[in-house]
Amino acid sequence: RNMIVKIDKYTVLIDDNTMTEIVSLQKGDHKKECGGIILGSITNDYRIIIRGIPKATNDKKSSKCTCIIDKRIAQKVIDDIFRETDGAVIYIGEWHTHPVNAPTFSNQDLQTIKEQFSSNVIYTNFLLMLIIGRKQLELSIYTNNKLTSVSSEIRG
């Protein structure tokens, strides 16, 4: 069930376990947005492997059209996985759900990814943003001050 997405000069592989998580989120209740961080590995030849999308939403502050990432929870997950994998798996972006069939990033999403890129400690020259809808996902890469997106059907 791995998914391969070509975006800009990158090839992004979403591993099997992560696709299972995406399918379960896609089939969720959609009463509130939820979200979290994207963990993964990168290779020298512009290949990115998404290895997990742990949830880190503060549900008390989330609504149908907003999700707030709990930075403490997210940082603990990032630190733990970095330590467990000797730095092989790192923070490479953020994800959230949209309560629509075919999601697209909003102005708020664009603003958020720009802020994350400039304020977070990152080890890449890009950040990914994954938006999970009911039937499709949108994967975006923010690099060189621009956001490039591709949409793909979720096959569950």
Side-chain angles (χ1 to χ4, degrees), residues 59-70:
D59 287 329
K60 291 183 181 78
K61 293 184 179 175
S62 295
S63 69
K64 186 173 174 90
C65 297
T66 307
C67 77
I68 306 296
I69 303 296
D70 185 317

Side-chain angles (χ1 to χ4, degrees), residues 16 85 107-108:
D16 192 42
T85 65
N107 286 334
Q108 178 62 49

Side-chain angles (χ1 to χ4, degrees), residues 19 30 71 88 90 109 126 130 149:
M19 279 311 300
H30 299 283
K71 290 189 182 300
I90 58 173
D109 294 331
F126 66 85
L130 174 64
S149 301

Side-chain angles (χ1 to χ4, degrees), residues 1-2 20 24 26 29 31 37-38 42 47 54 56 62 71 90 94-95 111 119 125 127 137-138 147 155:
R1 193 192 285 195
N2 289 344
T20 300
S24 72
Q26 167 226 2
D29 64 14
K31 286 185 177 69
I37 54 177
I38 302 173
I42 55 173
R47 289 173 47 88
S62 295
K71 290 189 182 300
I90 58 173
E94 307 213 350
W95 68 272
Q111 202 54 44
S119 66
N125 61 353
L127 278 180
L137 60 80
E138 180 181 72
L147 191 67
R155 289 179 215 78

Side-chain angles (χ1 to χ4, degrees), residues 28-116:
D29 64 14
H30 299 283
K31 286 185 177 69
K32 286 184 175 183
E33 277 192 12
C34 66
I37 54 177
I38 302 173
L39 300 173
S41 307
I42 55 173
T43 65
N44 296 343
D45 56 354
Y46 300 108
R47 289 173 47 88
I48 303 166
I49 304 165
I50 296 178
R51 299 187 180 276
I53 54 168
K55 189 175 175 209
T57 308
N58 183 334
D59 287 329
K60 291 183 181 78
K61 293 184 179 175
S62 295
S63 69
K64 186 173 174 90
C65 297
T66 307
C67 77
I68 306 296
I69 303 296
D70 185 317
K71 290 189 182 300
R72 280 192 333 263
I73 293 171
Q75 194 60 56
K76 180 175 180 354
V77 171
I78 292 165
D79 293 345
D80 288 350
I81 200 76
F82 187 86
R83 203 171 25 255
E84 289 167 17
T85 65
D86 289 328
V89 178
I90 58 173
Y91 166 80
I92 58 172
E94 307 213 350
W95 68 272
H96 63 280
T97 58
H98 274 192
V100 297
N101 289 339
T104 57
F105 70 85
S106 65
N107 286 334
Q108 178 62 49
D109 294 331
L110 178 58
Q111 202 54 44
T112 299
I113 201 76
K114 284 180 175 179
E115 287 170 14
Q116 300 300 9

Side-chain angles (χ1 to χ4, degrees), residues 137-152:
L137 60 80
E138 180 181 72
L139 183 65
S140 304
I141 189 160
Y142 181 78
T143 186
N144 298 322
N145 293 316
K146 71 175 188 179
L147 191 67
T148 306
S149 301
V150 295
S151 294
S152 188

